[in-house]
Amino acid sequence: MQTVETLNEGLKRAYTLTISAKDIDARVEKEIKSVAPQVRMPGFRPGKVPANLVRKMHGEALQQDALNSSIQEGVQKLIGDNKLRPAMQPSVELAEGYAPGKDAEVKIELEVLPEIAAPKIDGLKLERLTVEVEEAKIDEALQGMADANKQFEDAAKSHKAKTGDLVVMDFVGKVDGVAFEGGTGEGMSIEIGSGRLIPGFEDQLVGVKANDEKTIEVTFPEDYNVETLKGKPATFDLVITAVRSPKEAKADDEFAKALGLEGIDQLRGLIKGQLEQELNGLTRTHMKRKLLDQLADAHDFDVPPSMVEAEFNQIWAQLQHEASHEADPEAALKEMEGDRDEYRAIAVRRVRLGLLLSEIGQANGVEVSAQEMNRLIAQAAQQYAPKDRERFIQYIQQEPMAAAQLRAPLYEDKVVDFLFDKAEVTDRAVTRDELEAAIEAEGDEGHVHGPGCGHDHSHDEKPKAKKAAKKADDKAEDAAEKPAKKAAAKKADDKAEDKPAAEKKPAAKKSAPKK
């Protein structure tokens, strides 16, 4: 087996690997001797089939297996002998014209990881912006929970429904005068102003009374999830069976006990803890961005183009997805194209910081333990249907790249925590608005995680032409609602089985990965 280096420029390497016909044939002979005892052929006793007949029967397959294993071993030996650290999977190509009995010439191309000088992690200085949870915010969250879980009581027969009331109805939906599938139901409850139904439906319920009969006109949205109804005008014949008014929503001991808690003090404690966790997350985001800025400013080295391309493609795909949901997708795509170079620079930064964090972690013994990895896998498996969870776990165990992607966010966080401990940190008390403003202002300056970290990058860097629009608290449900979702049952009125086709549909569940 001979190796000749044909390219050594920057991080790119190329080699020609020659495997002699003699070596390949020796592997074939060895394999024939191994499989001959198991070969069965009429006229021969088990294990007594001549080698030449075994070769005739299985020679082509054995030849291919021998060639593949020779190439695989040759590539691994090449990487080991030259102490290469591939950035991505090497490209391996068998030269044209190969035939059994000839030497095999293999072309190997790859990019290697850069040699990174000892990272500069001494002298890091960080400011930690802290926010105290205000009692007024807890009160506000409590009242929000009470409002979200309010109860209703039957209104007087003469009461005209208004925003906030619950209307109970039977309905028949029609397109072109003909009732359509899924458009008929009885006893459906809808709170006016909840936004559950398509635009225009709930507005026309204002003013109805119990026992009223009414026909309303609506138009299904162009992006409605039933193909035959998209953009179609429709009518709904309604029979109002009841109108219910909301009771006064009180956040007191009785309300807390209805959620399965001991009392209002325990509920206040839960909400305070969740708000503290949310604020701590914002504080960490700000600190991490400042840390990454210092690391990026202190280190500059070439990064593998293939890794940059992969990261850029990930960014671009996300942006294209976002643009497709804009009011004017074509204009959004045009704006993206104008910022292409800036987004590529972002990809370079992400890759460089990812490699740098990895280098820091390896140099300082940062690891993700087997126990932590098992916990990660178990948590990730919960997003799949029960029947698919075992399949997902097997997929992660068998695919090193998938396991690495799952591991990366935790590894990155552990390296960041290590650097936080090394840094000189000063605290400064601020308001939540000030903290969010600091994070949003920094969002335009190229703050990133490592490549392929698996994090949601929607709050990450964006060129100044395209600012990150959402704040961290807008991406998650209000913390005040979480205890209620764990403890409170939905009201019977909200659980009506019959829903009109006009109701908005939930997103589909993610399916298990396919190999």
Side-chain angles (χ1 to χ4, degrees), residues 18-144:
T18 302
I19 306 171
S20 70
K22 182 180 178 182
D23 289 342
I24 297 173
D25 196 55
R27 284 178 178 268
V28 174
E29 289 297 331
K30 182 179 179 181
E31 193 62 23
I32 288 175
K33 291 179 180 179
S34 175
V35 302
Q38 286 81 46
V39 174
R40 298 291 185 267
M41 183 179 291
F44 295 93
R45 287 182 296 167
K48 298 299 182 180
V49 179
N52 64 324
L53 291 180
V54 175
R55 177 186 287 274
K56 186 175 181 180
M57 292 173 60
H58 304 287
E60 186 175 345
L62 294 176
Q63 174 76 23
Q64 189 62 52
D65 289 344
L67 178 60
N68 290 341
S69 61
S70 295
I71 292 175
Q72 185 176 3
E73 287 185 17
V75 172
Q76 294 303 317
K77 187 174 188 302
L78 169 68
I79 291 173
D81 290 348
N82 291 276
K83 298 180 179 178
L84 301 176
R85 298 194 301 162
M88 304 284 276
Q89 190 73 18
S91 169
V92 180
E93 181 181 354
L94 181 64
E96 293 184 7
Y98 171 75
K102 292 185 178 181
D103 292 346
E105 188 175 279
V106 183
K107 296 178 181 180
I108 302 166
E109 296 179 356
L110 71 158
E111 291 174 359
V112 297
L113 295 175
E115 293 295 332
I116 303 174
K120 304 169 186 177
I121 60 175
D122 293 325
L124 293 171
K125 294 184 178 181
L126 297 170
E127 184 177 50
R128 180 164 47 212
L129 304 183
T130 60
V131 181
E132 288 292 329
V133 176
E134 301 174 9
E135 291 298 315
K137 292 294 184 182
I138 299 177
D139 293 337
E140 181 181 331
L142 272 172
Q143 190 58 48

Side-chain angles (χ1 to χ4, degrees), residues 77-306:
K77 187 174 188 302
L78 169 68
I79 291 173
D81 290 348
N82 291 276
K83 298 180 179 178
L84 301 176
R85 298 194 301 162
M88 304 284 276
Q89 190 73 18
S91 169
V92 180
E93 181 181 354
L94 181 64
E96 293 184 7
Y98 171 75
K102 292 185 178 181
D103 292 346
E105 188 175 279
V106 183
K107 296 178 181 180
I108 302 166
E109 296 179 356
L110 71 158
E111 291 174 359
V112 297
L113 295 175
E115 293 295 332
I116 303 174
K120 304 169 186 177
I121 60 175
D122 293 325
L124 293 171
K125 294 184 178 181
L126 297 170
E127 184 177 50
R128 180 164 47 212
L129 304 183
T130 60
V131 181
E132 288 292 329
V133 176
E134 301 174 9
E135 291 298 315
K137 292 294 184 182
I138 299 177
D139 293 337
E140 181 181 331
L142 272 172
Q143 190 58 48
M145 283 183 61
D147 291 340
N149 290 274
K150 58 180 175 288
Q151 297 182 357
F152 294 85
E153 58 187 358
D154 287 338
K157 298 293 184 183
S158 60
H159 176 77
K160 294 183 178 180
K162 60 182 184 296
T163 299
D165 285 347
L166 195 74
V167 177
V168 186
M169 71 191 91
D170 301 337
F171 57 90
V172 177
K174 300 177 182 178
V175 172
D176 296 331
V178 180
F180 57 86
E181 184 178 357
T184 302
E186 298 179 350
M188 190 199 75
S189 301
I190 188 69
E191 182 182 343
I192 300 178
S194 65
R196 279 177 54 193
L197 305 184
I198 61 176
F201 196 113
E202 293 175 26
D203 295 341
Q204 297 180 65
L205 296 178
V206 174
V208 301
K209 305 186 300 297
N211 299 321
D212 278 358
E213 295 185 8
K214 181 173 183 175
T215 298
I216 64 173
E217 298 180 357
V218 294
T219 300
F220 284 96
E222 292 292 343
D223 61 350
Y224 195 67
N225 60 358
V226 178
E227 191 67 31
T228 56
L229 298 178
K230 287 183 177 180
K232 292 287 185 68
T235 61
F236 280 87
D237 297 332
L238 309 179
V239 176
I240 310 303
T241 56
V243 175
R244 296 173 179 167
S245 300
K247 293 181 179 180
E248 181 183 0
K250 294 182 179 180
D252 52 16
D253 279 335
E254 183 179 350
F255 172 67
K257 289 177 181 178
L259 300 179
L261 304 175
E262 294 178 359
I264 194 65
D265 289 341
Q266 185 182 7
L267 181 55
R268 289 183 69 89
L270 287 172
I271 293 175
K272 182 177 181 180
Q274 289 173 343
L275 292 176
E276 286 176 340
Q277 185 176 9
E278 187 179 348
L279 291 170
N280 289 341
L282 295 176
T283 295
R284 178 185 173 84
T285 294
H286 179 263
M287 275 185 71
K288 181 175 180 179
R289 290 181 173 183
K290 290 295 188 183
L291 170 67
L292 294 179
D293 273 350
Q294 292 186 44
L295 292 175
D297 292 343
H299 302 85
D300 187 21
F301 50 84
D302 291 338
V303 293
S306 59

